[in-house]
Amino acid sequence: MEKLAVIATSPLFEMLAPAELARLAELARLYRYSHGEVVFEEGDLGDSLFVIVRGQVEVVRRGPDDAVKPLTVLGPPEFFGEMGLIDKDHRSATVRALGEVELLQLTAQDLRTFRLAHADGFTFIVVNIARSLSARLREANARLAPQD
């Protein structure tokens, strides 16, 4: 699938103007992963956002006993890695491909470049990331809440 088509259909980039979508497509890189390949590992320094084009990824974390604990499975049009853009901290989980996977990657530098020319579009992206994080937190709280 063409990068522009993927970006144009992602909820993360909704409401962007055609010129903004085209610029993001220029900046993004498309990567393919085979089953079991690692996109990034827990502890890696984060600096990229990934948008799932095709396939699914599994997010896992090592527990205190070093056992791998599955956290979630994500598929199109979801995204991940956004926390690495926000705090440039080490990744808190490992992400690996489940089957054949295609991902678009935008680095922090890509988004800084985009922001310089498209400040309004950049603001929309940040708001959509915040909305997604808020929804994920609500879902996590609901799962952790005691069942009555």
Side-chain angles (χ1 to χ4, degrees):
M1 184 181 281
E2 180 185 319
K3 290 190 296 183
L4 181 58
V6 171
I7 287 172
T9 59
S10 171
L12 183 60
F13 307 118
E14 66 186 5
M15 303 201 44
L16 294 183
E20 293 168 329
L21 293 170
R23 182 62 177 139
L24 281 176
E26 289 173 12
L27 293 167
R29 281 155 305 287
L30 182 65
Y31 291 99
R32 290 178 176 85
Y33 295 85
S34 297
H35 181 74
E37 272 191 277
V38 173
V39 178
F40 58 74
E41 290 200 38
E42 188 173 340
D44 289 350
L45 193 59
D47 79 334
S48 296
L49 168 75
F50 296 87
V51 178
I52 303 170
V53 176
R54 181 176 63 87
Q56 293 182 318
V57 297
E58 179 183 39
V59 182
V60 300
R61 177 183 281 163
R62 291 207 178 275
D65 59 356
D66 220 28
V68 174
K69 177 183 178 187
L71 298 178
T72 192
V73 172
L74 303 172
E78 296 179 279
F79 63 92
F80 61 93
E82 69 282 349
M83 297 306 290
L85 297 174
I86 295 168
D87 58 17
K88 292 191 181 190
D89 202 353
H90 295 278
R91 301 287 189 183
S92 61
T94 296
V95 176
R96 61 181 172 220
L98 293 176
E100 298 297 313
V101 175
E102 289 184 14
L103 302 173
L104 281 178
Q105 178 187 19
L106 286 162
T107 66
Q109 181 58 49
D110 295 334
L111 290 172
R112 281 192 292 274
T113 299
F114 179 77
R115 184 189 72 214
L116 293 175
H118 304 284
D120 288 343
F122 180 78
T123 300
F124 282 125
I125 293 169
V126 171
V127 167
N128 284 340
I129 288 172
R131 282 185 184 136
S132 176
L133 289 173
S134 177
R136 290 177 187 176
L137 285 171
R138 279 193 303 278
E139 290 168 11
N141 282 336
R143 283 193 308 268
L144 294 173
Q147 302 296 322
D148 294 329

